[in-house]
Amino acid sequence: MAFQTQIREALSDLEAAGLLRSPVRISGPQGPEVEIDGRRVLCFCSNNYLGLANHPALVAATEAGLHREGVGAASSRLITGTMDAHREAEVAYANFVRAPAAALFSSGYAANVGTVQALAGSGDVIFSDALNHASLIDGCRLSRAQVHVYSHRDVDHLESLLREHRPRSRRALIITDSLFSMDGVTAPLRGVAALAQSFDAGLMVDEAHALGVFGPDGRGLCAAQGVEPDVVVGTLGKSFGVAGAFTAASEEIVSLIRNRARSFVYSTAPPPLVARAAITALHLVREAGDARKTLLANAHKLRSELRMLGFEVPDGESQILPVLIGDNDRTMRLSAKLLARGVFVQGIRPPTVAEGTARLRLTPMATHRPEHIERAIDAFASIVRDQ
Ligand SMILES: *Cc1c(COP(=O)(O)O)cnc(C)c1O
C-alpha cells in the first residue's frame, strides 16, 4: 500500500473513533476573549491564567529585548554560548523557587524530557504517578531507566513499589506533577517527599500549572506545602504568559542537565527576547496576589454553578475544572454548542485522558470579569435546557 494511503487510513481511523483534532484559528492576541472566525468569544480553555500573555509590560520587555539582542540565539548554548538574557532569567527563576541554579529550555515539554533523561539512565529506577504529564512519560522512555508507575496520588502504592524495587537499583527518582493538568487535583507532596527521603530517592516535581497560582508570591505548591524537592520544573508558557521553561535544582544537578539533557544540548537556545519577557513576567507574577484571588474565586463560582446545573465536576480547589462527559463525540458536540453560544471550552479526549473519561476542561482566567463568568454559566444552562 502506498505510504500516503496508509497515512490517510490512520487519519480516518482517528476520525471514526471521534479522535481527529483540528485546532480552531484565533485572530489577534490571547485574552479573556478571543476572536474565532471573526467572532469575539469568551475563552475558557487557556493556561494564560493571570492574563499576562498580552500584557503591555511583557510586550514592552519583548520589544526592548528585540532591540538589545536581536531575534535568534544562533545555536545551542553549548556551541554559541549563554547570552546575558538566558543567564539573568535562570538566576531570577532559580531565586523565585529558592533553588541554587536553573537551566532554561524552549518549552516545558523539552525541559521534562531532557531533565528526566539526564538524571536517570540504564540501571536506575523511576517512580512516576499514573497521571503525570506526557512530557514526563516521554522523558522516562528516553531515559532507559526502569519505570514503575504508581497509582494516581497513591502514597501507599508508591511505598510498596519503592520497597520492592529501590534496593536493586543505582539511582532512584520519584516524579510527580504538583497540580495535575487534566483533573485539577494536587499531588500528596508531603507524603511523596517523606518517601523520597527515607528511600534515598531524588524527587522531581513538575509545577507547570501551580506556579503563579499557588503558594506565597505564586511560588507553587511545593512552597505552599513546605516541600523542598531536588528538582522543580516550571513552564513559562502558562501563568507567566510567555514561552519556555526552566528546571531548578542544585548547581550539580543543573550542571549535569547542561551536559546531558539532549533537548538542551541539541537544540537552539530560546530567543533572548523570550528570556527578557520571562524576567518581566516574574515581576508581574510576584505582584499578582489580587489576580490569584480573582482567578480562584472565578473557578469556585464556576464549579458550584455548573454542579447546580447537574454537570459532573469533581471536588477541587484549583483553577482547572474538568467537566466529565465520558463519550468522545458527545464531549466534542458540547464543546461546539458552547462555541456557538460564544464560549470557547475545549473538549479533551484520549489519549490525553483515559478512555471513557472525555471531558470539557474549563479554565477561567484572573481577567474574566463577573459578567464573563455569568455568560459562561448561561451558556451551560442553555445547553441543559435544550437537551
Ligand atoms: C503544559 C505542561 C507541560 C509542558 O509545558 P510547555 O511549556 O507547554 O511545553 C509540562 N508539564 C505539565 C504538567 C504541563 O501541564
Side-chain angles (χ1 to χ4, degrees), residues 107-109 112 133 135 177 181 206 208-209 235 238 244:
S107 71
Y109 183 88
N112 277 337
H133 190 262
S135 53
D177 284 12
S181 54
D206 180 351
H209 291 277
T235 171
K238 289 170 180 160

Side-chain angles (χ1 to χ4, degrees), residues 11-364:
L11 282 173
S12 34
D13 289 350
L14 280 178
E15 182 154 32
L19 292 176
L20 193 63
R21 311 178 189 202
S22 50
V24 299
R25 169 93 171 256
I26 304 285
S27 304
Q30 290 288 346
E33 291 183 297
V34 293
E35 187 184 317
I36 300 178
D37 299 331
R39 260 172 83 225
R40 301 289 301 166
V41 298
L42 289 167
C43 180
F44 275 92
C45 53
S46 92
N47 301 324
N48 178 21
Y49 299 125
L50 301 176
L52 297 184
N54 187 39
H55 192 286
L58 289 196
V59 175
T62 311
E63 245 170 20
L66 175 66
H67 293 297
R68 186 164 164 180
E69 287 147 327
V71 181
S75 180
S76 163
R77 296 195 14 211
L78 274 69
I79 307 290
T80 48
T82 289
M83 299 173 77
D84 286 342
H86 299 137
R87 177 45 48 86
E88 286 167 33
E90 286 175 344
V91 169
Y93 278 89
N95 287 340
F96 181 53
V97 296
R98 309 280 202 266
L104 194 63
F105 287 84
S106 310
S107 71
Y109 183 88
N112 277 337
V113 167
T115 298
V116 177
Q117 163 265 317
L119 300 183
S122 170
D124 298 333
V125 65
I126 296 175
F127 302 88
S128 176
D129 186 286
L131 291 193
N132 274 349
H133 190 262
S135 53
L136 292 167
I137 297 169
D138 293 358
C140 288
R141 289 177 181 155
L142 193 62
S143 77
R144 300 178 199 212
Q146 202 184 92
V147 180
H148 298 284
V149 175
Y150 62 91
S151 306
H152 182 45
R153 300 162 79 206
D154 188 340
V155 179
D156 293 336
H157 189 214
L158 172 59
E159 181 168 5
S160 74
L161 289 175
L162 279 161
R163 273 191 204 295
E164 190 179 344
H165 301 285
R166 174 68 186 104
R168 279 177 283 111
S169 66
R170 190 178 57 159
R171 290 203 285 262
L173 181 64
I174 303 173
I175 308 178
T176 184
D177 284 12
S178 64
L179 175 58
F180 289 88
S181 54
M182 295 299 140
D183 293 79
V185 295
T186 57
L189 291 173
R190 287 208 191 101
V192 172
L195 286 175
Q197 178 132 47
S198 54
F199 283 87
D200 212 3
L203 174 60
M204 170 173 174
V205 178
D206 180 351
E207 292 255 49
H209 291 277
L211 288 182
V213 179
F214 292 101
D217 297 337
R219 280 166 43 215
L221 283 165
C222 289
Q225 299 185 19
V227 168
E228 292 181 8
D230 300 278
V231 183
V232 171
V233 173
T235 171
L236 309 178
K238 289 170 180 160
S239 287
F240 296 96
V242 187
F246 67 90
T247 298
S250 68
E251 295 280 0
E252 292 80 6
I253 290 174
V254 170
S255 184
L256 188 62
I257 287 169
R258 290 207 179 100
N259 280 277
R260 296 292 308 282
R262 299 172 70 84
S263 57
F264 185 92
V265 175
Y266 298 108
S267 185
T268 302
L273 57 90
V274 168
R276 295 278 173 214
I279 294 167
T280 299
L282 187 49
H283 295 303
L284 296 175
V285 162
R286 284 184 202 267
E287 303 297 314
D290 289 343
R292 278 186 271 284
K293 284 198 191 106
T294 307
L295 171 65
L296 294 176
N298 284 346
H300 181 77
K301 168 101 177 156
L302 282 167
R303 190 177 280 113
S304 59
E305 296 279 339
L306 292 187
R307 280 177 164 181
M308 267 179 331
L309 288 170
F311 288 96
E312 188 183 342
V313 188
D315 282 336
E317 304 291 324
S318 80
Q319 77 281 18
I320 300 170
L321 284 77
V323 183
L324 293 174
I325 308 296
D327 179 70
N328 297 340
D329 283 332
R330 181 151 181 267
T331 303
M332 299 321 287
R333 279 200 305 277
L334 284 174
S335 171
K337 282 183 182 174
L338 287 165
L339 188 56
R341 288 160 173 79
V343 181
F344 181 28
V345 183
Q346 195 54 261
I348 309 286
R349 291 167 280 177
T352 308
V353 294
E355 209 60 59
T357 70
R359 66 200 62 186
L360 298 166
R361 177 181 180 272
L362 195 68
T363 48

